[in-house]
Structures are given as structure tokens and as C-alpha cells.
Amino acid sequence: MNNPVIIKGNKYGIVVVLDAFMKFDELKEKIAEKFRDSSKFFSKAQMAISFEGRTLSNEEQRTVLDIIAEETELHVVCVVENDPQKEEVFKKALDEKLMELSNTTGQFYKGNLRSGQVLESETSIIVIGDVNPGARIVSKGNIIVLGSLKGTVFAGATGNTNSFVVALDMNPVQIRIADTIARSPDKPIKNAKRETKIAFLEEGNIYIETLNKEVLNDINL
């Protein structure tokens, strides 16, 4: 492609389109150049980021985030995964995790949460229903939504950085884990597939990825 790095976005989030065939070492230089030239447009903004055109490993994602931090004052608060892996095995892993939570410290809430409703829990919580815009969940542990998450969630409310959020349809207004906050872009990604995703905290950033066996193993739930 003529332009190996393209930046698209709005005031809440950006999409970085990367060349699929360029060697990563060469691509890193192009990324640094692009963000250096665009730094005045970002100022000290806090944004979500996603990548298209090329599948990046976790290490490569961290390298790109480091480049952005070096070349701009942009604060990336959330990485949205756009390259889902269709693995059936994640379903069994999720079921096992739900059973573990319900048999130990977890609790269930059945029903949809409407705008203005607040659900608070001293333990991990599993919501069987939708969390609509304007609704809020606060948990000292993990939050699992067996439905659409379109409201606000706060996991690890007492500072537990190992807490996570899972939803069958992940499109929240805001996610907070411990002391880190991430906001969704004001415009959802076009043609985004509805699939189970997990949000977790790693090295000061909230990552949102398709839930599968590999992710479950990586973050050591």
C-alpha cells in the first residue's frame, strides 16, 4: 500500500490501519513518523485505539503503544481488539469460570438493568440480562454480563487490578478496573461482530479482546 500507516478516528478513539506485508521493524519507523507528524492533533487526549489491516501480537501492540507515547502526548486508555478468533473452546472455559464464581464468592442478578439503575456487589457478579445505557454496575470483584453491556461498569472497586469484565456483547459507555478508566468511542466500529469479549487490566491499560482459550490462559484468570 502507498501509505503503510493510516490513522482514522474521532475525539474518543482512533483506528490505526497498518500495512499487512511490511516488515515490522520497518513498519515501526513508519508508525513513529506518522504519529510524530500528527502529534499536534492529539495534544493530551485520552483515547481508545484499535488496529486494522494487520494482526499484531501482544508484544507488537506494546511496542506500538510505546512508540505513540514517545512521539505524542496521547494517552491510550484502551486497546480494542478487531481481529476476532472464532474458537468454540472458549465457551467451555467461560462456562467453567461462571460455575467457579457461582460456587465460591460470586452472586447472580437476573433481569435487565435500565437507565438510572445501579447494581453494587461486595463480590463478583453475574448479570443474566442486558445492562442498558445509563445503568451502572459496581463490583469489588469481576463482572460478567450474559447479555449486552451498554452502560457503565466498575470492577475491582477496592483496587483489585486482577479483576475483569466479560460480556456477550461488549459496547459499554465506560469501563473502570481498579483505578484505570476507559471510554468507548462515541461511534462504534462499523460492521463490528457481536461476540463475547473480555476487558482486563495490563500494564496500566485496559485491553478488550475476544474471549478465547488463549486469552484466558494469558491473563491467568
Side-chain angles (χ1 to χ4, degrees):
M1 58 191 297
N2 295 331
N3 193 343
V5 182
I6 299 174
I7 302 174
K8 303 185 295 183
N10 50 55
K11 65 180 181 179
Y12 291 118
I14 58 175
V15 177
V16 181
V17 184
L18 301 173
D19 186 282
F21 304 105
M22 182 177 289
K23 292 183 178 179
F24 187 68
D25 285 341
E26 183 178 354
L27 185 62
K28 288 192 300 183
E29 297 178 3
K30 298 296 184 180
I31 293 171
E33 179 181 340
K34 173 65 73 172
F35 276 92
R36 189 182 307 122
D37 294 341
S38 306
S39 60
K40 64 181 179 180
F41 298 107
F42 297 119
S43 184
K44 296 182 179 180
Q46 297 186 12
M47 293 185 177
I49 190 172
S50 61
F51 300 101
E52 291 182 358
R54 182 187 187 106
T55 301
L56 299 177
S57 66
N58 288 339
E59 182 178 353
E60 289 173 337
Q61 282 191 7
R62 294 189 188 99
T63 298
V64 174
L65 294 177
D66 288 341
I67 291 173
I68 294 173
E70 290 173 2
E71 300 296 342
T72 72
E73 294 183 330
L74 171 66
H75 178 52
V76 177
V77 296
C78 177
V79 177
V80 181
E81 181 61 49
N82 275 333
D83 186 23
Q85 300 179 27
K86 295 183 178 179
E87 296 185 25
E88 293 296 331
V89 70
F90 88 86
K91 186 174 182 180
K92 179 180 178 181
L94 177 58
D95 289 341
E96 291 174 352
K97 179 56 62 176
L98 295 177
M99 185 62 68
E100 177 186 335
L101 287 173
S102 63
N103 288 336
T104 55
T105 61
Q107 71 176 76
F108 285 93
Y109 176 89
K110 186 175 182 179
N112 297 328
L113 290 178
R114 299 184 299 275
S115 178
Q117 288 186 292
V118 178
L119 180 61
E120 297 184 354
S121 175
E122 293 289 320
T123 64
S124 296
I125 187 165
I126 300 168
V127 177
I128 305 175
D130 296 335
V131 181
N132 291 308
R136 186 167 182 257
I137 301 177
V138 180
S139 170
K140 291 183 179 180
N142 309 307
I143 298 173
I144 296 175
V145 179
L146 299 182
S148 295
L149 172 54
K150 299 181 180 180
T152 299
V153 288
F154 181 8
T158 55
N160 184 0
T161 57
N162 291 322
S163 297
F164 59 87
V165 178
V166 169
L168 298 185
D169 181 16
M170 180 83 75
N171 189 27
V173 173
Q174 183 186 94
I175 287 182
R176 179 173 177 179
I177 300 178
D179 295 326
T180 302
I181 299 175
R183 289 182 57 86
S184 292
D186 57 357
K187 293 183 179 179
I189 298 173
K190 292 184 178 179
N191 301 322
K193 296 181 180 179
R194 296 182 59 181
E195 54 191 345
T196 304
K197 293 188 177 183
I198 183 169
F200 58 93
L201 187 62
E202 184 176 296
E203 297 181 354
N205 291 310
I206 292 178
Y207 292 82
I208 299 177
E209 297 188 2
T210 300
L211 185 62
N212 52 48
K213 185 177 180 180
E214 181 181 350
V215 171
L216 287 171
N217 291 336
D218 286 346
I219 64 179
N220 192 27
L221 299 181

